[in-house]
Amino acid sequence: MSSPLEKTYSPAHSERRWYAQWQQDGIYHSAPSALEPYSVLMPPPNVTGILHFGHVLNNTIQDIYIRWARLNGKESCWFPGLDHAGIATQTKVEKELKSEGLTRYDLGREAFVDRVWEWKNTYGGIILDQLRTLGASADWDRTLFTMDESASTAVKEVFIKLFDEGLIYRGKRVINWSPVAQSALSDEEVIFREVREYIYTLRYHLADGSGTLLVATVRPETIFADVAVAVNPNDERYKHLIGSHVIVPLTDRTVPIIADDYADPEFGTGCVKITPAHDPNDFEIGLRHNLEMPQCIMADATLGELAGEFAGLDRFVARKKIVARLEETELLERKEDYTHNVGFSERGEEPVEPYLSDQWFVRMEPLAKPAMEAVRNGDIRFYPNHWVRTYEHWMTNVRDWCISRQLWWGHRIPVYFAEDGQYTAAQNEAEARTKLGLSADASLRQDPDVLDTWFSSWLWPMTTMGWKGPITHEKSPSENVNALMGYYLPTNLLVTGPDIIFFWVARMIMATLKFNGKVPFRDVYFTSIIRDAKGRKLSKSLGNSPDPLGIIDSYGADAVRFAMIYLAPLGTDVRLDINDKTQDIPSMELGRNFANKVWNACRFLQMKQREVAESEQGGEHSDYALSTADHWIQSRYMSTVKAASTALADYRITEYAKLLYDFIWRDFCDWYVEVVKVQLQHASHHSHKVAVLNHAFEIINGTLHLLHPVMPFLTEELWHGLFGHPENSSISKSTAPIADASSIDSVTEERFETLQLVVEALRRQRAEMGIPPGERLDVHLNVRAADLEFFHSQSSIISTFARCADLRIGEAVTKPDGSVADIVRGIEIYLVVAGKIDFDKERMRLTKEIERLSGALAGVEKKLSNPNFVANAKPEVIDVERQKQADWTDTLAKLERNLASM
């Protein structure tokens, strides 16, 4: 017999113990076999990353599916890894150097890169250890770092192939530029903030002196690079001026007035200054009209020579001085407050500068077409499906991808330049000389830039499987990479945020189709955005982003996992009730209470099992026929298995969690465990008691398997504690329950549910009347003829659960004197309370309370029906009033029901 379960569940002890055991036994390592494969790609967290609740939700979902597949007998592999996070990691190390009074230039490129590797080896694995704390059952033997040799080889080969095919080219574009990092930024590295500043309307005098155009701008410091003023070709105000010239303020230059649809006649004055080198929209206009593209703001965000007396000034210092000069020269028409969104560098936190520079680009249109078709034809499915429209819109309007970054940490661009300006992509200098037709001693210079971090990430479905450089590890020292990719690719599931649908998801589809001829995954699950109770995204700066590890320490990993899934319906934002002061999340109590409920029920059954085993057995071996309640719980269990399995298959994970919660909490713990107590009391033979408990253990065994994917530690502990399995075995490697349709009896389920509702109605009546819990009262039930036999057979359960003194069940029962009444599904319920309450006083109390509450409810409803209140009140205030309305409406209905029953 297994050892007794502890009185209370200790998550911390259980989590440490079992994760160490899982790792020791290597149960989550996977390799190709005769089994059906199931694989998941872990979105690689940044090497600089620290666990946040986005990671908790994302990785819990992945773990649920990999564990469920494992239980269903599939060869399941969760491929983990780390992203080298170019700009984020370089920024971290540069800050360290700064504290030492050094810069990267003091070290030089090679020594600086060595220093970054040292930092990575010291701190880079922290987030993976944190994911282990969460219970992630990844195949850690396969952990890939995007700067590992195999991944780097793949990156280089892909670049060279695309270059040779003409899909990578060098060109000038306006890109996001970080003056602090001195590097281009991806769109993903730019965060937008609402900024209040000014919009300036400037006077551009016509060159012939015949008038003035008023042109509005928020960036007057860029006027020195103006090359035109655009008006809409259909704007009657300016049609006659197209082709004329205006004088750029504070300069002696004239620029043409051009016609372009980009100019909106309804916005501002309808005139737009065109500065192609400092605005991406202006850049496109410049290409259409073949305009020059001079630059007046330099890489360090100071003004250049074109700015004349303002040259050398920081862009924002220059703005103030330029505005003052415009006022002095009467070239400023007006200055108005203006609020708009401005892009900031996520790492450097400075405003991003639109900057024209030579960069490397990937031509995206040829790669986008097959990637678009893969989603349209259903080879790849999105959950929720509405993201398909977003994907199609982006792919239809795809722009070339700027892949170069002016950093030292990352995959260096494998392009070599000859002294005469020729260049090519190659594995090394020798190959470059051959491709360029140069002598063996010809001097070459490698491009100093590195590739965008996403350039290695878009190869993730292939590089995780050793593509272009086999991964070797102890368990499989010489795997066949082609066999590995043939077995696991396409992977089954990708779980990610919708914010990187373009930066990562779309590009992985493009790359894997291009270089492997397969889609990278079958299903993509887009997670919800996590917000606080006020609807704000979690942010350290807002003080509403608690440390998940601290929450796990307080509640347990399983409790956090379960609560997050329970609160995260597909396609809907997650709301967490975060206490900003204590940094606690009270809603996690739901998960902890659930874990304790399961533990206590299992412990009770184990205690009863031991009591029965230790009692006198005699010679009793009579047969035991399952009771109605046994059939009911068997049917409810099978119905739950069926519904939960379907919910998982359809990625309705919140429904999966709620099905388990309702079945385990209400049906099994609150009802069936109590039924077991009654059945044990009435069992006439020892063998009957054994059979009652065996049936309960069969149900809990299957239920633990159903619950295991979301609560792995608790279920492992109970699976061993209840059933005495060997220490080196795991519930993870056992078998998932399968719904047996023949065991589902909807009639019995419906009848038992009616019984539950009747008992709950009696309990509610007692509570509302203030009857002490231990006091037994007479109960009369008027039941339909069709249900009479069932209710008579369950009379002992009803009497026990509803604390009945005398229970009368019939089909022609009339309301006894001194009773209160209720009706549930056509069954009339009479609770005899004569002598227990003063009916006159109770009627008076109820009447007064109904009047008071009706008045209060009317006040709330009046407030909520007021459009001004709804339009102007804070959302949280409106939520409070709506909650009052719901609560008071419910309470009022109960009071009126009670009064009517008297």
Side-chain angles (χ1 to χ4, degrees):
M1 185 174 288
S2 57
S3 301
L5 295 173
E6 295 292 334
K7 185 175 182 181
T8 56
Y9 176 52
S10 172
H13 171 74
S14 177
E15 289 159 14
R16 286 192 300 270
R17 172 192 174 200
W18 286 117
Y19 206 90
Q21 186 72 44
W22 297 336
Q23 292 290 90
Q24 178 183 315
D25 296 339
I27 63 172
Y28 300 133
H29 177 66
S30 176
S33 69
L35 299 175
E36 179 186 347
Y38 186 91
S39 54
V40 175
L41 296 169
M42 179 185 289
N46 285 352
V47 69
T48 59
I50 298 295
L51 195 71
H52 57 65
F53 274 99
H55 294 126
V56 171
L57 177 61
N58 187 305
N59 285 276
T60 296
I61 294 170
Q62 292 175 76
D63 201 35
I64 285 172
Y65 280 95
I66 207 76
R67 287 180 182 276
W68 185 239
R70 204 176 281 125
L71 284 170
N72 278 281
K74 297 177 182 178
E75 186 64 66
S76 305
C77 190
W78 186 5
F79 290 89
L82 274 174
D83 194 294
H84 66 277
I87 194 166
T89 311
Q90 177 156 323
T91 300
K92 281 268 187 188
V93 176
E94 288 202 80
K95 284 182 178 177
E96 274 192 4
L97 290 174
K98 188 175 181 181
S99 69
E100 300 168 18
L102 297 171
T103 70
R104 59 173 158 146
Y105 301 103
D106 295 323
L107 271 65
R109 184 169 192 144
E110 188 174 340
F112 176 78
V113 170
D114 288 343
R115 177 71 178 259
V116 181
W117 274 106
E118 288 176 17
W119 186 94
K120 181 266 175 186
N121 293 333
T122 303
Y123 303 106
I126 290 176
I127 193 165
L128 298 185
D129 289 337
Q130 292 172 333
L131 290 177
R132 292 180 176 94
T133 301
L134 186 65
S137 62
D139 184 352
W140 298 111
D141 298 318
R142 297 189 181 281
T143 302
L144 179 75
F145 180 50
T146 52
M147 288 282 286
D148 284 346
E149 184 179 353
S150 60
S152 297
T153 300
V155 166
K156 186 180 287 188
E157 289 200 15
V158 163
F159 185 99
I160 294 168
K161 182 173 177 59
L162 293 176
F163 179 91
D164 289 345
E165 291 180 12
L167 292 177
I168 284 181
Y169 66 93
R170 186 171 173 81
K172 284 188 178 293
R173 289 288 187 280
V174 172
I175 45 87
N176 301 312
W177 181 261
S178 166
V180 171
Q182 289 286 288
S183 174
L185 300 175
S186 69
D187 290 342
E188 194 263 346
E189 292 164 325
V190 177
I191 54 175
F192 284 89
R193 298 175 187 161
E194 194 174 85
V195 174
R196 292 185 62 189
E197 44 189 6
Y198 299 103
I199 186 167
Y200 306 90
T201 301
L202 311 184
R203 295 171 181 151
Y204 282 65
H205 296 311
L206 289 166
D208 62 6
S210 62
T212 300
L213 285 187
L214 298 180
V215 180
T217 179
V218 293
R219 304 189 70 206
E221 64 274 17
T222 63
I223 58 175
F224 304 105
D226 286 356
V227 293
V229 170
V231 297
N232 192 286
N234 299 314
D235 193 331
E236 296 294 339
R237 294 171 296 175
Y238 307 118
K239 264 187 176 181
H240 66 290
L241 294 176
I242 295 170
S244 302
H245 286 71
V246 291
I247 303 169
V248 178
L250 303 186
T251 75
D252 56 3
R253 291 188 305 111
T254 62
V255 296
I257 300 171
I258 62 173
D260 196 281
D261 289 333
Y262 176 72
D264 182 358
E266 304 298 321
F267 182 77
T269 64
C271 303
V272 181
K273 64 190 282 300
I274 304 304
T275 318
H278 299 295
D279 183 278
N281 294 312
D282 291 5
F283 176 79
E284 297 297 331
I285 293 170
L287 292 179
R288 286 199 291 271
H289 295 270
N290 196 28
L291 301 173
E292 292 183 3
M293 299 188 181
Q295 289 176 272
C296 68
I297 299 179
M298 303 293 102
D300 62 356
T302 63
L303 270 64
E305 290 182 5
L306 283 180
E309 64 181 285
F310 305 102
L313 295 177
D314 173 81
R315 53 186 166 163
F316 298 117
V317 174
R319 179 182 297 177
K320 292 179 181 178
K321 291 184 178 293
I322 290 167
V323 169
R325 185 57 54 83
L326 289 166
E327 287 180 308
E328 289 172 16
T329 54
E330 298 184 348
L331 292 171
L332 179 64
E333 177 74 16
R334 57 182 173 269
K335 168 182 161 184
E336 301 165 287
D337 289 335
Y338 187 64
T339 301
H340 64 141
N341 287 323
V342 174
F344 286 75
S345 167
E346 185 180 27
R347 304 298 170 186
E349 298 188 350
E350 83 281 16
V352 168
E353 182 62 37
Y355 187 67
L356 182 68
S357 66
D358 287 316
Q359 302 288 343
W360 291 98
F361 296 86
V362 177
R363 296 185 199 279
M364 299 298 278
E365 190 176 349
L367 301 173
K369 288 179 180 178
M372 170 92 88
E373 186 58 27
V375 173
R376 281 180 169 167
N377 67 20
D379 286 345
I380 298 172
R381 297 173 293 266
F382 285 178
Y383 297 87
N385 183 257
H386 67 73
W387 287 111
V388 170
R389 292 192 300 274
T390 306
Y391 176 85
E392 287 180 340
H393 176 75
W394 186 79
M395 295 293 266
T396 303
N397 300 281
V398 69
R399 298 168 68 93
D400 288 353
W401 173 19
C402 175
I403 56 172
S404 45
R405 298 292 180 268
Q406 290 64 49
L407 303 170
W408 287 356
W409 172 245
H411 298 101
R412 192 167 177 181
I413 291 176
V415 170
Y416 296 87
F417 293 84
E419 290 182 342
D420 62 1
Q422 292 186 83
Y423 57 85
T424 191
Q427 291 283 350
N428 48 48
E429 287 192 9
E431 184 179 274
R433 291 188 183 97
T434 301
K435 290 177 78 171
L436 292 171
L438 301 175
S439 63
D441 59 352
S443 177
L444 293 176
R445 173 182 62 84
Q446 185 176 356
D447 194 300
D449 292 350
V450 300
L451 289 163
D452 178 12
T453 298
W454 294 107
F455 196 87
S456 52
S457 299
W458 78 325
L459 306 178
W460 192 244
M462 298 175 287
T463 52
T464 48
M465 300 181 195
W467 186 58
K468 299 297 181 184
I471 303 171
T472 59
H473 47 76
E474 292 180 9
K475 291 189 172 61
S476 304
S478 56
E479 281 187 323
N480 183 304
V481 171
N482 291 332
L484 198 67
M485 294 179 70
Y487 184 71
Y488 288 118
L489 198 68
T491 60
N492 296 80
L493 175 65
L494 176 75
V495 181
T496 188
D499 53 328
I500 55 174
I501 188 171
F502 315 126
F503 302 115
W504 194 42
V505 178
R507 289 170 182 166
M508 281 193 289
I509 297 172
M510 294 180 198
T512 312
L513 284 170
K514 170 71 176 173
F515 296 104
N516 192 265
K518 295 181 180 179
V519 293
F521 26 72
R522 292 297 183 192
D523 295 337
V524 183
Y525 182 105
F526 292 107
T527 55
S528 309
I529 296 173
I530 302 175
R531 302 182 184 277
D532 64 12
K534 297 176 183 176
R536 303 175 301 175
K537 291 180 72 172
L538 302 196
S539 163
K540 287 183 179 179
S541 61
L542 291 175
N544 67 346
S545 183
D547 174 14
L549 294 179
I551 302 298
I552 288 172
D553 285 344
S554 298
Y555 295 94
D558 282 347
V560 172
R561 288 166 62 112
F562 186 85
M564 290 298 294
I565 295 305
Y566 191 94
L567 298 168
L570 179 65
T572 305
D573 290 352
V574 182
R575 293 291 183 101
L576 297 180
D577 55 335
I578 296 165
N579 186 317
D580 293 352
K581 292 182 180 178
T582 64
Q583 291 294 285
D584 188 20
I585 307 179
S587 51
M588 294 299 145
E589 195 76 39
L590 177 147
R592 180 165 62 188
N593 290 345
F594 184 54
N596 289 337
K597 188 81 169 180
V598 176
W599 181 269
N600 291 336
C602 290
R603 183 170 176 270
F604 168 79
L605 291 175
Q606 187 191 58
M607 287 169 60
K608 288 300 175 185
Q609 185 186 54
R610 297 176 78 85
E611 287 175 15
V612 170
E614 292 166 2
S615 65
E616 299 224 359
Q617 298 183 17
E620 305 158 359
H621 293 290
S622 60
D623 292 335
Y624 172 75
L626 292 180
S627 69
T628 302
D630 293 333
H631 282 298
W632 165 73
I633 198 66
Q634 179 74 17
S635 180
R636 284 292 303 119
Y637 163 68
M638 284 300 175
S639 294
T640 302
V641 170
K642 181 180 178 181
S645 301
T646 302
L648 285 175
D650 294 340
Y651 296 103
R652 292 179 280 112
I653 56 168
T654 293
E655 184 177 328
Y656 157 75
K658 289 184 176 179
L659 285 164
L660 291 179
Y661 186 89
D662 292 344
F663 171 71
I664 294 172
W665 191 291
R666 182 172 187 254
D667 293 334
F668 189 82
C669 296
D670 283 355
W671 279 87
Y672 188 65
V673 169
E674 296 303 313
V675 168
V676 167
K677 291 179 184 178
V678 175
Q679 293 186 153
L680 290 175
Q681 288 171 0
H682 291 82
S684 56
H685 299 288
H686 179 271
S687 60
H688 287 182
K689 293 182 179 181
V690 172
V692 166
L693 288 168
N694 284 347
H695 188 256
F697 273 87
E698 283 178 19
I699 300 297
I700 199 62
N701 183 36
T703 302
L704 290 177
H705 284 79
L706 200 58
L707 183 61
H708 173 72
V710 68
M711 302 187 90
F713 296 110
L714 173 71
T715 51
E716 189 78 270
E717 189 76 44
L718 289 171
W719 189 70
H720 282 82
L722 292 178
F723 302 102
H725 294 288
E727 194 85 345
N728 62 352
S729 63
S730 172
I731 189 173
S732 298
K733 304 291 280 187
S734 54
T735 305
I738 299 174
D740 177 6
S742 66
S743 295
I744 297 176
D745 182 347
S746 57
V747 174
T748 297
E749 284 193 41
E750 185 177 356
R751 282 179 169 170
F752 213 93
E753 184 180 28
T754 302
L755 182 151
Q756 289 174 303
L757 294 173
V758 166
V759 170
E760 287 166 357
L762 285 164
R763 287 173 170 174
R764 183 178 62 245
Q765 285 178 323
R766 293 172 61 99
E768 291 173 356
M769 296 291 170
I771 305 298
E775 188 159 355
R776 291 184 176 273
L777 300 177
D778 291 349
V779 172
H780 297 198
L781 300 178
N782 190 33
V783 180
R784 293 165 301 201
D787 294 327
L788 198 56
E789 183 182 348
F790 171 79
F791 271 84
H792 274 302
S793 72
Q794 303 304 308
S795 59
S796 61
I797 291 175
I798 298 171
S799 293
T800 302
F801 280 44
R803 308 293 291 172
C804 301
D806 179 36
L807 174 63
R808 298 184 186 181
I809 303 172
E811 56 178 310
V813 174
T814 57
K815 184 177 185 295
D817 293 337
S819 67
V820 291
D822 202 349
I823 299 178
V824 170
R825 290 186 176 177
I827 295 174
E828 295 173 72
I829 305 166
Y830 304 117
L831 178 68
V832 181
V833 293
K836 306 301 178 184
I837 64 170
D838 184 322
F839 275 78
D840 290 336
K841 282 186 178 180
E842 184 63 14
R843 285 191 194 96
M844 189 180 298
R845 184 190 72 81
L846 289 172
T847 302
K848 285 184 177 179
E849 183 61 12
I850 287 169
E851 289 174 356
R852 185 195 69 80
L853 201 54
S854 296
L857 182 58
V860 169
E861 289 176 338
K862 183 179 180 182
K863 190 182 290 186
L864 288 172
S865 64
N866 183 344
N868 290 332
F869 172 76
V870 175
N872 299 317
K874 291 182 179 179
E876 55 266 32
V877 172
I878 296 172
D879 288 343
V880 168
E881 294 302 313
R882 284 181 176 152
Q883 190 61 52
K884 282 183 191 175
Q885 182 186 37
D887 292 344
W888 292 352
T889 300
D890 182 55
T891 303
L892 191 60
K894 290 177 181 177
L895 294 171
E896 290 172 338
R897 183 175 60 242
N898 286 349
L899 184 60
S901 74
M902 298 176 70

